[in-house]
Amino acid sequence: MPANASLEDIDYEELPASTTLGMHLIAGAAAGIMEHSVMYPIDIVKTRMQVVGSSVAYNGVVQALRSISTTEGMRTLYRGVMSVVLGAGPAHAVYFATYEHTKKILAGGQANALAAGAAGGVATVVSDALMNPFDVVKQRMQLANSVHRSIWS
């Protein structure tokens, strides 16, 4: 950071205008894989708590994490993570690239909140269409007593 720049002068919300499409793809893929991998154990708890009629009841997130790890093993907290890694990389790469490209088309290089919002909506639809099949596999593997033990079953 230059000595004369203040914190208000630096915009951390986007990459520089000279950033290539490839860099947006790489940044999106890395961010998506990291986010989903770190939050995966919480996602397992969320999925299991959403199941209606489950034979297992949890009293909260911490109790669920403790119960799953002690009764099923720590590895269970990451069962199905490969599906997310395989899907999140491409989906988030497409999200970042679609968002930046759509925003550039709609805003013409000017700061425009409406264009940013519309670009976010377009990017979400595109990336969710790509990610949805991977989410289905992930959720089937996350369920207690699931017969699905790999992304191929």
Side-chain angles (χ1 to χ4, degrees):
M1 175 164 67
N4 61 351
S6 69
L7 290 178
E8 291 84 32
D9 293 338
I10 299 171
D11 185 6
Y12 290 105
E13 293 297 318
E14 62 185 343
L15 296 171
S18 62
T19 305
T20 64
L21 175 63
M23 288 304 297
H24 285 291
L25 291 170
I26 291 168
I33 290 170
M34 181 61 72
E35 178 236 338
H36 285 282
S37 297
V38 168
M39 294 304 297
Y40 200 77
I42 304 300
D43 193 44
I44 282 195
V45 170
K46 175 197 69 90
T47 299
R48 289 191 179 192
M49 291 178 97
Q50 287 176 330
V51 174
V52 176
S54 174
S55 60
V56 182
Y58 302 110
N59 295 322
V61 174
V62 174
Q63 187 269 330
L65 287 168
R66 203 175 292 133
S67 175
I68 293 167
S69 62
T70 56
T71 60
E72 301 176 52
M74 288 294 289
R75 289 184 62 191
T76 302
L77 293 175
Y78 285 92
R79 185 171 50 206
V81 74
M82 189 51 72
S83 173
V84 169
V85 168
L86 291 173
H92 283 267
V94 167
Y95 178 90
F96 270 51
T98 302
Y99 173 78
E100 292 299 332
H101 183 70
T102 305
K103 187 173 74 168
K104 187 184 299 181
I105 289 171
L106 295 176
Q110 303 297 316
N112 183 324
L114 185 58
V122 169
T124 298
V125 169
V126 172
S127 70
D128 283 357
L130 181 62
M131 187 65 186
N132 192 33
F134 295 97
D135 270 342
V136 170
V137 170
K138 171 200 72 158
Q139 289 170 357
R140 287 182 179 175
M141 292 179 71
Q142 288 178 333
L143 296 174
N145 306 315
S146 175
V147 297
H148 303 287
R149 296 287 178 208
S150 76
I151 60 175
W152 310 113
S153 63

